Coordinates of all heavy atoms in Angstrom, one line a residue:
S1315 N 8.0 -23.6 13.6 CA 7.1 -24.5 14.4 C 5.7 -24.0 14.4 O 4.8 -24.5 15.1 CB 7.7 -24.6 15.7 OG 7.8 -23.5 16.4
G1353 N -2.5 -9.0 10.7 CA -1.9 -7.8 11.3 C -3.0 -7.0 11.9 O -4.0 -6.7 11.3
S1397 N -20.3 -2.7 11.4 CA -21.0 -3.9 10.9 C -20.0 -4.6 10.0 O -19.4 -4.1 9.1 CB -22.3 -3.6 10.2 OG -22.3 -2.3 9.8
L1408 N -20.1 -5.3 15.8 CA -19.2 -5.5 16.9 C -18.6 -4.2 17.3 O -18.4 -3.3 16.6 CB -18.0 -6.4 16.4 CG -18.3 -7.9 16.1 CD1 -17.0 -8.5 15.4 CD2 -18.7 -8.6 17.3
T1410 N -15.7 -2.2 18.4 CA -14.3 -2.4 18.1 C -13.5 -1.1 18.7 O -14.0 0.0 18.8 CB -13.9 -2.4 16.6 OG1 -14.4 -1.3 16.0 CG2 -14.6 -3.6 15.9
I1413 N -7.1 2.5 18.4 CA -6.2 3.3 19.2 C -5.1 3.8 18.2 O -4.3 3.0 17.7 CB -5.4 2.4 20.3 CG1 -6.5 1.8 21.2 CG2 -4.4 3.2 21.1 CD1 -6.0 0.8 22.2
I1418 N -6.9 2.5 5.9 CA -6.6 1.9 4.7 C -7.0 2.9 3.6 O -8.2 3.1 3.5 CB -7.3 0.5 4.5 CG1 -6.8 -0.5 5.7 CG2 -7.0 0.0 3.1 CD1 -7.7 -1.7 5.8
L1462 N -8.6 -16.8 10.4 CA -7.4 -17.1 9.9 C -6.8 -18.4 10.4 O -5.9 -19.1 9.8 CB -6.3 -16.0 10.1 CG -5.5 -15.6 9.0 CD1 -6.4 -15.3 7.7 CD2 -4.6 -14.5 9.2
V1469 N -16.3 -19.5 9.1 CA -15.8 -18.3 8.5 C -14.3 -18.5 8.2 O -13.6 -17.5 8.0 CB -16.0 -17.0 9.3 CG1 -17.5 -16.7 9.3 CG2 -15.6 -17.2 10.8

Side-chain angles (χ1 to χ4, degrees):
S1315 57
S1397 19
L1408 292 170
T1410 60
I1413 303 173
I1418 300 164
L1462 225 52
V1469 288

